[in-house]
C-alpha cells in the first residue's frame, strides 16, 4: 500500500518536474512546479514528517510560488516564449549532466548503506513536541541566525526592487 | 514498507532534472524555479535519512534549508525585477554587466 502511494507520488513529481524544465511558457513552469511541491509534501507525509509537509505547502506553494507568479505578472513573458528553446553549444553541460546522473545512480545502487530497514518505533502523538524541543534547545543559535538571514533578505529585496529616486 | 533507496533514487532524479534546468535553460525565471527543485530534492534526502535512522536532525536541517530558500528567492526576485527594469531582458546570456 505504501509502495503504491510512493510510486504514484514519485511518478507525478517526476513528470511535473520535467514539465517545469521543458515548458516554454514560464507560467506553465510555475504551475507545474506548484504541483511538484504538492507531490513532494505528500512524500513527506509518507516519511512521517507531517510538520515538514505542512511547512512545505505553506512556504513553497503559499509564499514562494505566489511570489513567482506576481513577478511573472509584472514582467512581459511573451518575448520569453518566442525565444529559442535550447540554444546549441551546450554539449559540455549535457555530458556533465549525464555523468552526474550515472555517478549518483551507481553510488546509490551499489552501496549497502541504503539497505536500512524502516524503524518500527511506535511514538505517541508527541513527535512534533520532541522535534520542537530539539529545535529550540539544541539548535537555538542556528534558528536565530536563520531569522536574521530572513530579515536581511527582506530588507535587501525591498532595496533592490525599489525604484531609484530621481 | 518502502525501501530507503527508492527515496534516494527519487532525490537523484529530481536533482538531475533540476540541474538540467539550471544548465540548459536560458530563461532566468525557469533557472530560478529549477534551483527550487534542486533544494527540494536535497530536502527529500534529509528527511528520508532522518526517518530511516530515527533522528530528528534530518527534519531540523530541512527546516533550515526551507528558510534559506525563502530568503534566496526573495533576493533573487528583487534582483530580477531590478534587472528587467534596467535592461529589459530575461535571458541569462544577456546579463554580462559584470563581465563574468
Amino acid at each position: 500500500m505504501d509502495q503504491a502511494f510512493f510510486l504514484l507520488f514519485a511518478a507525478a513529481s517526476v513528470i511535473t518536474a520535467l514539465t517545469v524544465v521543458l515548458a516554454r511558457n514560464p507560467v506553465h513552469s510555475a504551475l507545474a512546479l506548484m504541483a511538484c511541491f504538492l507531490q513532494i509534501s505528500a512524500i513527506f507525509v509518507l516519511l512521517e514528517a507531517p510538520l515538514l509537509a505542512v511547512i512545505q505547502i505553506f512556504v513553497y506553494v503559499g509564499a514562494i510560488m505566489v511570489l513567482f507568479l506576481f513577478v511573472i505578472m509584472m514582467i512581459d513573458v511573451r518575448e520569453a516564449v518566442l525565444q529559442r528553446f535550447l540554444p546549441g553549444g551546450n554539449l559540455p553541460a549535457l555530458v556533465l549532466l549525464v555523468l552526474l546522473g550515472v555517478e549518483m545512480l551507481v553510488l546509490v545502487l551499489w552501496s549497502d548503506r541504503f539497505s536500512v530497514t524502516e524503524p518500527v518505533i511506535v511514538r505517541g502523538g508527541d513527535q512534533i513536541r520532541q522535534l520542537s524541543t530539539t529545535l529550540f534547545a539544541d539548535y537555538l543559535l542556528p534558528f536565530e541566525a536563520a531569522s536574521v538571514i530572513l530579515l536581511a533578505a527582506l530588507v535587501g529585496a525591498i532595496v533592490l526592487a525599489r525604484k531609484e529616486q530621481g | 514498507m518502502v525501501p530507503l533507496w527508492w527515496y534516494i533514487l527519487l532525490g537523484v532524479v529530481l536533482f538531475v532534472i533540476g540541474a538540467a534546468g539550471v544548465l540548459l535553460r536560458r530563461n532566468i525565471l525557469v533557472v530560478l524555479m529549477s534551483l527550487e527543485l534542486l533544494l527540494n530534492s536535497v530536502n527529500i534526502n534529509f528527511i528520508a535519512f532522518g526517518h530511516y535512522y530515527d533522528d530528528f536532525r534530518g527534519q531540523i536541517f530541512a527546516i533550515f534549508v526551507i528558510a534559506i530558500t525563502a530568503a534566496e528567492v526573495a533576493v533573487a526576485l528583487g534582483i530580477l525585477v531590478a534587472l528587467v527594469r534596467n535592461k529589459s531582458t530575461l535571458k541569462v546570456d544577456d546579463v554580462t554587466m559584470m563581465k563574468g
Side-chain angles (χ1 to χ4, degrees), chain A residues 10-88:
Chain A
S13 65
V14 168
I15 289 170
T16 47
L18 280 175
T19 314
V20 171
V21 175
L22 295 179
R24 275 174 162 257
N25 195 332
V27 180
H28 297 168
S29 289
L31 293 177
L33 191 60
M34 207 181 265
C36 186
F37 286 157
L38 285 175
Q39 308 302 322
I40 291 176
S41 87
I43 284 173
F44 288 171
V45 172
L46 280 184
L47 281 168
E48 291 175 22
L51 182 68
L52 260 294
V54 172
I55 288 178
Q56 169 97 358
I57 290 180
F58 278 179
V59 175
Y60 279 102
V61 182
I64 290 181
M65 291 320 295
V66 171
L67 203 60
F68 263 109
L69 287 175
F70 265 116
V71 171
I72 289 173
M73 280 197 298
M74 287 170 61
I75 292 170
D76 187 17
V77 290
R78 268 167 297 180
E79 170 244 1
V81 177
L82 290 178
Q83 81 192 21
R84 209 145 54 104
F85 178 51
L86 292 176

Side-chain angles (χ1 to χ4, degrees), chain A residues 3 6 21 23 37 43 47 56 60 80 83 85 97 105 113-114 116 118-119 121 123 130 139 160-161, chain B residues 1 4 6-7 9-10 20 25-27 36 40 49 51-54 56-57 59 79 82 85 91:
Chain A
Q3 293 190 351
F6 174 82
V21 175
F37 286 157
I43 284 173
L47 281 168
Q56 169 97 358
Y60 279 102
Q83 81 192 21
F85 178 51
L97 280 173
L105 282 183
R113 194 171 281 269
F114 304 113
V116 193
E118 200 166 357
I121 300 166
R123 277 203 210 80
Q130 292 176 27
Y139 289 86
L160 280 170
Chain B
M1 280 297 156
L4 173 61
W6 286 20
Y7 290 107
L9 211 60
L10 175 66
R25 287 301 297 261
R26 293 275 79 91
N27 190 329
E36 301 300 302
N40 251 287
F49 275 114
H51 176 57
Y52 278 82
Y53 284 96
D54 194 29
F56 280 129
R57 280 174 287 184
Q59 294 191 32
I79 292 175
R85 186 175 294 141
K91 293 166 77 175

Side-chain angles (χ1 to χ4, degrees), chain A residues 2 10 23 42 74 117 126 143 147 166:
Chain A
D2 269 5
M74 287 170 61
T117 50
D126 59 345
F143 186 82
S147 58

Side-chain angles (χ1 to χ4, degrees), chain A residues 104-114:
Chain A
M104 289 198 286
L105 282 183
V106 166
L107 282 179
V108 169
L109 294 180
W110 277 7
S111 169
D112 54 349
R113 194 171 281 269
F114 304 113

